[in-house]
Amino acid sequence: MALATRSAAVLGTALFAFAALAPAAHAAPTPSPAPAAADSYLTNIEWGSHPGYDRVQLDFGGPVPAFGVTRVSELTNCGSGKPVSLPGTEFIEVNVGASAHDENGNSTFPGAWQKVLSLPFVTGYAITCDFEGDLRVGVGFRGHHTFTTSPQSGPSRIAIDVKA
């Protein structure tokens, strides 16, 4: 038993000495947070028809926010989960890291939150969500079309081009 106790004491001393020589462990610095969604506000939605494509454009105050686009079978309201009625046979939803209101709850988007359009391909748009930096805008099409999205600056905007 004395040997076991002595071995444990030597081992403990060695570990203590090793720990004392090792550099102190520090937590990795916390990276600065990404810009908050409140850094970008929806200020306008524009639309138009051009030869071979229709464009819906989301304009922003602040930097162009991160975004993603998904084809969906129907548009739904993020708060209630209820379908959003918009004409069209196909839909996309643009999910944007922005808001349509400022930090005081005041709207930054003066336009209609849902608009039926009479363009050759695009049937309309609807803002389907504006909650805690989760802004979603749905766009309806007539028929099956391809589309592209492109962020643009000066001014900050996201262009959605729906092609024949």
Side-chain angles (χ1 to χ4, degrees), residues 72-86 93 114 126-129 136:
V72 294
S73 58
E74 73 175 357
L75 300 173
T76 58
N77 180 284
C78 73
S80 68
K82 293 182 180 179
V84 173
S85 178
L86 191 68
E93 192 165 57
Q114 185 167 345
I127 297 174
T128 60
C129 191
R136 296 180 201 169

Side-chain angles (χ1 to χ4, degrees), residues 5 17 24 93 99 143 156:
T5 303
E93 192 165 57
S99 296
S156 298

Side-chain angles (χ1 to χ4, degrees), residues 56 72-76 82-93 112-118 121-128 136-142:
V56 175
V72 294
S73 58
E74 73 175 357
L75 300 173
T76 58
K82 293 182 180 179
V84 173
S85 178
L86 191 68
T89 55
E90 293 204 8
F91 305 93
I92 61 170
E93 192 165 57
W113 281 49
Q114 185 167 345
K115 182 95 173 151
V116 174
L117 304 173
S118 297
F121 313 124
V122 173
T123 60
Y125 72 81
I127 297 174
T128 60
R136 296 180 201 169
V137 179
V139 178
F141 310 156
R142 275 183 204 86

Side-chain angles (χ1 to χ4, degrees), residues 10-89:
V10 170
L11 180 60
T13 303
L15 287 175
F16 178 79
F18 178 76
L21 295 174
H26 296 285
T30 305
S32 338
D39 289 346
S40 293
Y41 301 103
L42 181 68
T43 59
N44 198 18
I45 297 178
E46 299 178 74
W47 60 89
S49 185
H50 306 277
Y53 70 99
D54 291 343
R55 173 172 283 183
V56 175
Q57 181 174 289
L58 310 178
D59 297 338
F60 296 93
V64 177
F67 69 97
V69 182
T70 307
R71 278 192 192 267
V72 294
S73 58
E74 73 175 357
L75 300 173
T76 58
N77 180 284
C78 73
S80 68
K82 293 182 180 179
V84 173
S85 178
L86 191 68
T89 55

